[in-house]
Amino acid sequence: MNNIKAIIFDLDGVLVDTAKYHYLAWKKLADELNIDFSVEDNERLKGVSRMQSLDIILEIGSITLDNITKSDLAQKKNNWYVEYITKLTPDDILPGVIPFIKSIKNSNIKMALGSASKNSMLILNKLNLTNYFDAIIDGTKVSKAKPDPEVFLKGAEALKVLPCQCIVFEDAEAGVEAAISAGMHCIGIGSENILKKADLVFSGFTDIVFDKLLL
Ligand code: G6P
Ligand code: MG
């Protein structure tokens, strides 16, 4: 990967250990609806929007509901999720993230956030991460969820760089697909089995030496 001018980070499950809280909140809702919802099913929810996540859970349970009920249920899940994230502490930032983003901040590479979450600002502010980013594209700024590339293309545009000059860090299959559709390089954070379409996969930031990546 050469001529890299920017890095675009997903938030949940990449920078912050919040993917587990999304899962716990969806699991609670699924239990209430008597839907059997597993950790494996949860992989399909990663990176996709709140309403699409609910649709996937309802599909698993073969349940059809009207839009008003669906929006009430999504709100209920979000209330539980927000309860979790208001208790976040710096310990919830994933290992190696702070040294990694500090080393980029000291280089001439720009950084953007590219997340589907409408709670992104709440999380970034709570953990004092906001000021690291030159651009923040979150769920309030996009109309098409990953695997659509919109969130990442908007990030590149805001940073005034070309897609081919960006590396995306993603923990979700839908996010890796979005990065590839955007014409960007992609590094998966997590399991190689799930993120096989990424250019490279690391289990976490502690394994990454940034200078070596750019060779
Ligand atoms: C991220 C997460 C998804 C979540 C989505 C919307 O992409 O990976 O699991 O559903 O954001 O998040 P929100 O906080 O707006 O419900
Ligand atoms: Mg994620």
Side-chain angles (χ1 to χ4, degrees):
M1 291 181 205
N2 52 23
N3 198 24
I4 296 303
K5 299 218 162 123
I7 298 199
I8 306 180
F9 294 94
D10 173 50
L11 177 65
D12 298 307
V14 169
L15 298 178
V16 189
D17 200 8
T18 39
K20 64 182 180 201
Y21 299 131
H22 276 298
Y23 172 67
L24 289 174
W26 282 125
K27 177 77 183 150
K28 196 165 172 178
L29 190 76
D31 285 350
E32 275 199 11
L33 296 167
N34 279 320
I35 297 172
D36 193 8
F37 174 61
S38 67
V39 182
E40 289 73 36
D41 294 327
N42 186 57
E43 282 305 317
R44 293 176 61 198
L45 269 53
K46 287 187 180 172
V48 307
S49 71
R50 196 179 305 167
M51 284 314 288
Q52 279 175 309
S53 300
L54 177 62
D55 282 336
I56 293 170
I57 291 176
L58 294 175
E59 182 203 300
I60 292 168
S62 307
I63 293 178
T64 311
L65 295 171
D66 62 80
N67 285 341
I68 295 174
T69 313
K70 282 194 341 189
S71 117
D72 288 348
L73 292 176
Q75 183 64 51
K76 200 169 179 181
K77 179 269 171 179
N78 194 54
N79 292 344
W80 288 324
Y81 179 65
V82 169
E83 251 178 65
Y84 285 120
I85 60 175
T86 46
K87 292 185 205 131
L88 287 178
T89 72
D91 284 346
D92 292 292
I93 299 173
L94 284 158
V97 164
I98 296 289
F100 188 79
I101 58 179
K102 277 190 175 160
S103 68
I104 298 166
K105 201 68 189 161
N106 289 329
S107 73
N108 51 8
I109 290 174
K110 293 178 186 163
M111 280 187 278
L113 188 89
S115 165
S117 175
K118 292 186 169 132
N119 293 300
S120 294
M121 289 314 301
L122 186 65
I123 296 171
L124 293 179
N125 288 336
K126 173 98 189 144
L127 298 174
N128 287 323
L129 293 173
T130 312
N131 291 338
Y132 286 104
F133 297 97
D134 304 292
I136 292 175
I137 313 294
D138 66 12
T140 65
K141 294 187 181 151
V142 290
S143 55
K144 287 172 258 166
K146 300 167 189 175
D148 189 282
E150 183 187 15
V151 66
F152 296 138
L153 291 174
K154 282 198 166 160
E157 195 183 304
L159 297 176
K160 300 190 172 56
V161 295
L162 296 171
C164 62
Q165 297 169 328
C166 298
I167 303 178
V168 169
F169 281 81
E170 259 295 345
D171 71 316
E173 209 181 341
V176 172
E177 281 169 17
I180 294 168
S181 304
M184 298 179 179
H185 303 277
C186 184
I187 294 185
I189 298 290
S191 141
E192 209 152 331
N193 275 345
I194 296 168
L195 306 172
K196 38 184 159 318
K197 291 187 194 148
D199 297 301
L200 284 169
V201 180
F202 293 96
S203 59
F205 282 90
T206 41
D207 298 337
I208 307 176
V209 179
F210 187 61
D211 295 349
K212 283 199 183 153
L213 266 189
L214 304 184
L215 293 177

